[in-house]
């Protein structure tokens, strides 16, 4: 969901996805997009076209999201991914079609539901990320591959049914008012050593379940999660149970698709070991890290998970893990 200045490990290979289709860039003629940024948009759309059908196994969406991509001077909007409109921003904020109406100019990527029933995908272009020393130092000319995988991640969110459910769920208004995100539970419990240890233990069990195809490990992880949630998600903290469940599933699915794209010969073409290292050691965000561990176990133990998460109503994280553990 929200990726701002996250320190990822080294990226070791280039992108080998299908040839991108040129895009039509119109709008303000004084906005001149850098060739590398334009190539990134074209390559990202091609990468997602493959990931959508070849990895997520979805038919193309009837309605594409509202894309908002931007560099240091201009933003580039599109409703179909083919025809884009360029317009100047003020150097600090870009205009977005959401309540509040703006987002910061910086190394950011996120997806959000729109009031009209569509979704919005906002991604800073490579030229923006290169202004941050830590990314330039770590990634250099490999930054575009990293950002393409981020683009695939965010586009996966646009196909998850939580986009629609978020507008009608009982806590939808709380979500909008309080700005809940994939880091909300982490922000609340990061100072709780017992809670943090529980997250680490669950994640380890989940990775072991995935590596060994062991349903008993999945059951141990499920029991540990249930016990932690029963202890800490009570009283004023009860609302965090559903927040955690939603973001473990949605972020886990997006990281899993991102992982598969990185390891796919038609994606980034990395080795499985390189893709796994990147996906396991990347973010430090609990929902992404434990969500990936959970969905990796689910992928190995619940072959039809796609029909359960890209449908309505979507299965929750605990629903999926219960299936991996052998519960029916």
């Amino acid at each position: 969901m929200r990726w701002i200045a996250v320190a990822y490990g080294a990226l070791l290979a280039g992108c080998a996805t299908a040839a991108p289709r040129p895009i039509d860039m119109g709008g303000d003629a004084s906005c001149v997009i850098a060739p590398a940024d334009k190539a990134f948009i074209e390559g990202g759309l091609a990468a997602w076209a493959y990931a959508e059908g070849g990895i997520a196994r979805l038919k193309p969406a009837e309605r594409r999201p509202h894309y908002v991509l931007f560099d240091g001077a201009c933003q580039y909007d599109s409703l179909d991914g083919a025809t884009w409109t360029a317009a100047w921003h003020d150097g600090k904020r870009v205009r977005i079609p959401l309540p509040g109406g703006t987002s910061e100019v910086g190394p950011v990527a996120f997806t959000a539901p729109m009031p009209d029933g569509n979704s919005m995908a906002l991604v800073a272009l490579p030229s923006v990320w290169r202004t941050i020393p830590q990314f330039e130092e770590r990634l250099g000319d490999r930054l575009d591959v990293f950002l393409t995988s981020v683009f695939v991640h965010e586009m996966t969110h646009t196909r998850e049914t939580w986009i629609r459910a978020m507008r009608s769920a009982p806590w939808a208004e709380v979500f909008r008012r309080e700005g809940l995100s994939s880091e909300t539970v982490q922000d609340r419990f990061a100072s709780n050593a017992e809670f943090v240890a529980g997250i680490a233990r669950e994640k380890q069990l989940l990775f072991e379940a995935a590596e060994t195809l062991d349903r008993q490990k999945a059951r141990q992880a499920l029991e540990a999660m249930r016990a932690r949630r029963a202890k800490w998600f009570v009283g004023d903290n009860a609302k965090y149970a559903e927040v955690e469940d939603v973001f473990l599933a949605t972020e886990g699915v997006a990281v899993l698709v991102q992982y598969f794209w990185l390891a796919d010969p038609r994606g980034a073409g990395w080795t499985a070991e390189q893709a796994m290292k990147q996906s396991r050691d990347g973010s430090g965000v609990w929902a992404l890290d434990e969500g990936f561990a959970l969905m990796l176990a689910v992928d190995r133990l619940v072959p039809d998970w796609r029909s359960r998460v890209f449908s309505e109503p979507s299965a929750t994280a605990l629903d999926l893990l219960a299936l991996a553990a052998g519960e029916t």
Side-chain angles (χ1 to χ4, degrees):
M1 289 282 290
R2 180 166 61 90
W3 301 55
I4 301 178
V6 180
Y8 277 77
L11 302 177
L12 303 176
C15 177
T17 195
R21 296 180 179 179
I23 61 175
D24 177 22
M25 188 64 69
D28 193 327
S30 64
C31 282
V32 180
I33 189 171
D37 283 345
K38 185 176 182 182
F40 165 76
I41 298 176
E42 295 169 344
L45 292 168
W48 170 241
Y50 172 66
E52 184 178 35
I55 296 174
R57 301 176 192 170
L58 295 168
K59 295 180 180 179
E62 293 182 2
R63 187 181 184 189
R64 290 299 180 181
H66 186 138
Y67 301 94
V68 182
L69 280 72
F70 62 90
D71 56 29
C74 295
Q75 66 182 78
Y76 308 93
D77 289 66
S78 177
L79 297 177
D80 59 9
T83 302
W84 294 73
T85 301
W88 286 87
H89 58 67
D90 65 5
K92 297 180 180 179
R93 312 289 295 182
V94 296
R95 295 176 297 281
I96 60 175
L98 294 176
T102 64
S103 181
E104 68 180 287
V105 172
V108 58
F110 69 85
T111 307
M114 291 170 55
D116 66 359
N118 198 11
S119 56
M120 183 205 70
L122 180 142
V123 179
L125 290 166
S127 59
V128 175
W129 293 75
R130 291 191 190 284
T131 64
I132 308 301
Q134 71 182 88
F135 289 108
E136 185 67 21
E137 292 167 5
R138 286 175 177 268
L139 304 174
D141 60 6
R142 297 166 298 185
L143 180 60
D144 286 4
V145 179
F146 163 77
L147 286 178
T148 299
S149 77
V150 171
F151 188 83
V152 167
H153 177 113
E154 296 302 332
M155 290 301 297
T156 301
H157 285 318
T158 71
R159 296 305 307 270
E160 292 175 315
T161 55
W162 68 272
I163 286 285
R164 292 186 294 276
M166 192 180 295
R167 290 189 298 273
S168 58
W171 50 273
E173 182 57 35
V174 176
F175 189 103
R176 287 189 290 268
R177 185 176 65 249
E178 298 187 11
L180 304 183
S181 76
S182 57
E183 296 176 57
T184 294
V185 174
Q186 185 169 347
D187 291 343
R188 172 63 184 84
F189 292 98
S191 61
N192 184 323
E194 183 178 346
F195 194 101
V196 173
I199 293 289
R201 175 60 176 159
E202 294 159 18
K203 186 170 67 172
Q204 182 61 36
L205 287 168
L206 289 165
F207 278 126
E208 290 175 1
E211 291 166 2
T212 62
L213 302 181
D214 187 341
R215 292 191 185 276
Q216 183 58 32
K217 290 285 187 183
R219 171 162 291 283
Q220 292 175 17
L222 178 61
E223 291 174 350
M225 290 181 69
R226 285 172 171 168
R228 171 180 57 81
R229 290 159 62 91
K231 180 173 184 177
W232 297 108
F233 293 159
V234 295
D236 291 341
N237 292 326
K239 66 181 180 182
Y240 293 108
E242 192 167 14
V243 175
E244 179 181 73
D245 214 8
V246 166
F247 283 109
L248 282 177
T250 56
E251 294 295 356
V253 168
V255 178
L256 185 69
V257 172
Q258 188 177 8
Y259 159 72
F260 283 141
W261 182 83
L262 286 170
D264 194 304
R266 292 183 61 184
W270 293 10
T271 66
E273 291 76 13
Q274 290 169 343
M276 181 61 70
K277 178 176 174 57
Q278 173 67 25
S279 301
R280 285 191 64 160
D281 301 339
S283 71
V285 177
W286 294 353
L288 275 70
D289 295 344
E290 184 169 14
F292 173 59
L294 187 151
M295 285 307 306
L296 194 64
V298 167
D299 177 68
R300 306 288 166 81
L301 296 168
V302 186
D304 67 342
W305 66 264
R306 290 170 179 81
S307 66
R308 298 176 183 274
V309 301
F310 294 116
S311 61
E312 197 167 2
S314 178
T316 67
L318 263 65
D319 289 339
L320 294 166
L321 184 54
L323 290 170
E327 294 185 3
T328 57

